[in-house]
Amino acid sequence: MISQQEFLNKMKLLFTKGCYLLPSSVHEVRIVPDNGEMETKMLGEMVRELNKNEVERQEVLSDRVYSYDKEKHQIRQEPDSIQKVKEMER
């Protein structure tokens, strides 16, 4: 099992500009390099769409996108990836 510190150290080496973590299910997390081409709102929509259509309800981990901040050496939630309640009602 990899510790959180080991994971963060590997992230720092592999993704020099940082990356996004997309929790696909309780079994899978996808990692997308931050190359400046993807917006967190779009990534959030992608995660919600995958969770809705491809993942069993009891296996959904999160509808939110996280990012690895290379400078602070930490993972944080991306607020722009969260769908607002009013948007969800449309």
Side-chain angles (χ1 to χ4, degrees), residues 5-16:
Q5 192 59 45
E6 287 173 309
F7 177 74
L8 293 175
N9 288 337
K10 286 182 189 270
M11 299 289 280
K12 188 173 187 174
L13 292 173
L14 291 171
F15 302 100
T16 56

Side-chain angles (χ1 to χ4, degrees), residues 5-87:
Q5 192 59 45
E6 287 173 309
F7 177 74
L8 293 175
N9 288 337
K10 286 182 189 270
M11 299 289 280
K12 188 173 187 174
L13 292 173
L14 291 171
F15 302 100
T16 56
K17 294 183 181 181
C19 63
Y20 297 105
L21 293 95
L22 313 178
S24 298
S25 73
V26 294
H27 305 288
E28 179 181 5
V29 174
R30 297 173 188 219
I31 300 174
V32 178
D34 182 2
N35 58 11
E37 295 179 15
M38 304 287 281
E39 293 182 9
T40 54
K41 184 176 181 177
M42 182 176 66
L43 291 170
E45 290 169 5
M46 186 168 59
V47 169
R48 285 187 292 281
E49 188 68 24
L50 280 170
N51 285 344
K52 180 180 173 185
N53 297 315
E54 305 294 329
V55 180
E56 296 291 329
R57 184 179 180 105
Q58 67 271 15
E59 294 185 349
V60 171
L61 182 60
S62 174
D63 280 340
R64 300 182 178 188
V65 172
Y66 300 83
S67 64
Y68 170 67
D69 185 326
K70 181 184 149 175
E71 302 303 319
K72 295 181 181 177
H73 199 54
Q74 66 184 11
I75 294 173
R76 64 183 177 93
Q77 192 176 99
E78 284 294 326
D80 290 343
S81 72
I82 302 167
Q83 188 175 25
K84 306 288 188 262
V85 174
K86 289 183 181 181
E87 291 176 17

